[in-house]
Amino acid sequence: MRRFSLYFLLLLTLPLAGCSPFSSVAVLNPKGEQAKEQVDLITLSISLMALVFLVVLILFIRFVYKYRQRPGYTPDPIHQNRNKKFELIWTISPFIILFILAVPMIQTTFGEEQESKSPSDLTVKVTASHYWWRFEYPGQGIETAEELHLPKGKKVTLVLHSTDVIHSFWVPQLGGKLDVIPGRTNKLSLTPLENGTYQGKCAELCGKSHANMRFKVKVENEDDFNSWIAGLKSGNQTQSLSKSEAEGKSLFNENCLTCHAVEAQVENKKGPNLAGFAERERVAGILPNTKEHLEDWMKDPQKFKPGSEMPKVKGLDKKEYEKLAEYLQTLH
Ligand code: CUA
């Protein structure tokens, strides 16, 4: 029995491990305005809950002791001495507690849903598909995938769409989460306050690779953000390619160009836009961005992302995969 309790306790630590600072998605460490508001709400409701729990616990212990069975004591089942004051206190205090909870909750929630009216603010169209994220910047005329870049201190309105099932957009350090529903447009506002890279993930079970539907949000100074945009626009065409990179390019054009664009201005191809791919931290949002991982990914996407719509790049020999990877690493 003792051993069983020990195992049970150990098992209980598993769900808690999800909150540890070692896990990749930091939940209660806000770096954005909305995330801060949300953490404040969580703190407020937990404190009130703890207060209620404490009061109930103290009363419970007191009553259990006071009305315990003992010689010479017979409980009186008829309430003869009503105490109006107490009755009023326990009737009114829940209303007060609910009021304290409801006012900031409603204020914050509706405040966050309000779309930005200022023309200087940013709008990004986010599209979720099995199992990746498309990010379009209509004002800037570019598209990217898997890594969302945002300028610090600016309010951004994310317009969320899904092409297949229900996903959920979640970057806990910046705020969220919000369902991404096919046939519906949801809007989410974020205001990042600190530079850095934040982990995002899909928070709604959406299929085999739900756990792999990760993305990153890179928050940078406005100047860096603007030069990122400018870099994507002028892009990779200016760069001269080596012989094997050029061969990789023609392999890419034969095999991949139907689904993937390599220019940021080309929008809405079937697969992720690969402009600036060499700068990304991950292949397909999950594997470290090295040539080896890239080759592994192209040879068998299903191995890393089961259910992914990316087909195997077939019929190439080892050298050709290498060339293809080399070419992709030139996309800055
Ligand atoms: Cu998309 Cu889970």
Side-chain angles (χ1 to χ4, degrees), residues 90-160:
W90 72 60
T91 310
I92 292 172
S93 49
F95 283 100
I96 297 175
I97 292 174
L98 278 182
F99 190 75
I100 298 173
L101 272 177
V103 172
M105 288 271 178
I106 291 169
Q107 257 176 358
T108 312
T109 314
F110 282 84
E112 280 177 11
E113 273 179 8
Q114 236 156 40
E115 205 182 334
S116 165
K117 295 278 186 295
S118 157
S120 70
D121 288 343
L122 185 67
T123 300
V124 181
K125 189 178 158 199
V126 178
T127 310
S129 307
H130 275 144
Y131 296 92
W132 64 283
W133 301 87
R134 185 197 299 275
F135 303 116
E136 287 164 82
Y137 297 68
Q140 287 69 21
I142 59 141
E143 175 185 299
T144 187
E146 311 290 13
E147 281 181 17
L148 172 67
H149 284 243
L150 297 178
K152 184 176 82 170
K154 228 180 190 189
K155 187 169 182 179
V156 51
T157 303
L158 301 167
V159 186
L160 307 171

Side-chain angles (χ1 to χ4, degrees), residues 273-289:
N273 190 309
L274 298 176
F277 175 80
E279 309 290 337
R280 291 187 197 159
E281 281 181 31
R282 302 272 155 170
V283 177
I286 44 174
L287 301 167
N289 191 357

Side-chain angles (χ1 to χ4, degrees), residues 12-74:
L12 273 182
T13 58
L14 270 183
L16 285 177
C19 316
S20 89
F22 306 111
S23 70
S24 57
V25 180
V27 178
L28 295 176
N29 181 13
K31 302 286 182 200
E33 211 173 286
Q34 293 75 6
K36 281 205 167 109
E37 288 172 357
Q38 287 163 10
V39 169
D40 288 347
L41 284 181
I42 292 173
T43 317
L44 174 73
S45 49
I46 288 182
S47 319
L48 279 175
M49 228 152 61
L51 187 75
V52 171
F53 177 74
L54 200 71
V55 171
V56 171
L57 188 73
I58 291 170
L59 291 177
F60 173 75
I61 293 170
R62 183 175 150 73
F63 294 150
V64 164
Y65 182 75
K66 187 173 176 186
Y67 301 113
R68 71 192 184 282
Q69 200 173 29
R70 53 187 188 271
Y73 172 72
T74 26

Side-chain angles (χ1 to χ4, degrees), residues 167 202 204-206 210 213:
H167 303 273
C202 174
E204 177 76 48
L205 184 62
C206 55
H210 155 70
M213 201 166 157

Side-chain angles (χ1 to χ4, degrees), residues 4-15:
F4 173 78
S5 324
L6 184 71
Y7 286 147
F8 186 69
L9 271 179
L10 278 176
L11 209 65
L12 273 182
T13 58
L14 270 183

